[in-house]
Amino acid sequence: MYDLPSDNPEEPGLPDEFHLLQPELLRNTFRPPSYNFDRVFTGSNLNLYYNPLHPQWYKRPDWFAVLGVSRFYQETELRLSYVTWQEGTNPFVAIELISPGTENEDLGKNLREVNQPPNIWSVYEQILRIPYYFVYNRYTNELHCFGLMLNRYQLLPINGLGVWLEEVELGLGLWEGEYQGLTRLWLRWYDRDNNWLPTSTEQEKQRADSAELEIARLRQLLQEKEIS
C-alpha cells in the first residue's frame, strides 16, 4: 500500500464537489445490520489495485464497500489505497458517478488495446467480480443498476425505492432531500421497512428531538399532578 501511488492528477474526471458530498452520504448511511461497524470498509476516490501481475494498474471508484475486513489497514492505520491481493477480499459493491467524458468508461462502452489496462466495466465484472455495480448520472438523474449473474453484469430493475441487496439487508435508491444545504436527488441507502437510513447528524437531531418531547411530557405530568 505504501509503495503504490495514491493519486494521479492527470486522470480525467477528477472529483468535483458532488464527488465529495455524494460518497460522504453513501458512507454515512451504509450500515449493514449483520456486520459490525468496524468490519466494513468504505472508500471513495481511493486507488483500487486489482492485478498483482500488473501492480501499477488501478481503478479509482467514486465509492465502494468491502465486507468483513477491518476499517483500518492491519487493524491500526488509515488506508492510502486498497490493494486487493494484499487485503484478500474484493469489494461487494461499487458506484461510479458519471462526469463529463467518463460515461463510456463507466458503462463499459469503450475498448482498450491488448497492452493497455482494461476498462472499469471489465475490471469490476471479470477480474474483481464485484456483485453489484451502480452508475449514476447526476445531470440526467439516470441510475443504472447491475448485478453479477452467470459471470456477467445484468441490468437490475428498480422496484419501489430502488434496488434491494439481500446480502447486506439494505437497498439503494434515489432520495430527494436536503443534504449539506443542497436539495436534489441523492443516492442513499434504505432499510427493509423502506426507511431512508439517517446520517449521524440526523440521528443526533432525532435523539435531541426525542429528549425534548420526553421533557415536555414529564412537565405536563407534573403540571397535572400540581393541579390535582
Side-chain angles (χ1 to χ4, degrees), residues 140-159:
T140 63
N141 291 323
E142 292 178 279
L143 176 60
H144 306 272
C145 313
F146 303 98
L148 196 64
M149 301 176 188
L150 301 176
N151 302 321
R152 296 292 179 190
Y153 277 140
Q154 304 292 329
L155 196 62
L156 299 175
I158 294 178
N159 295 313

Side-chain angles (χ1 to χ4, degrees), residues 30-33 163-165 168-172 189-191 197:
F30 185 75
R31 294 192 296 275
V163 173
W164 182 253
L165 285 60
V168 290
E169 302 175 75
L170 294 175
L172 182 68
W189 298 97
Y190 60 91
D191 65 17
L197 289 170

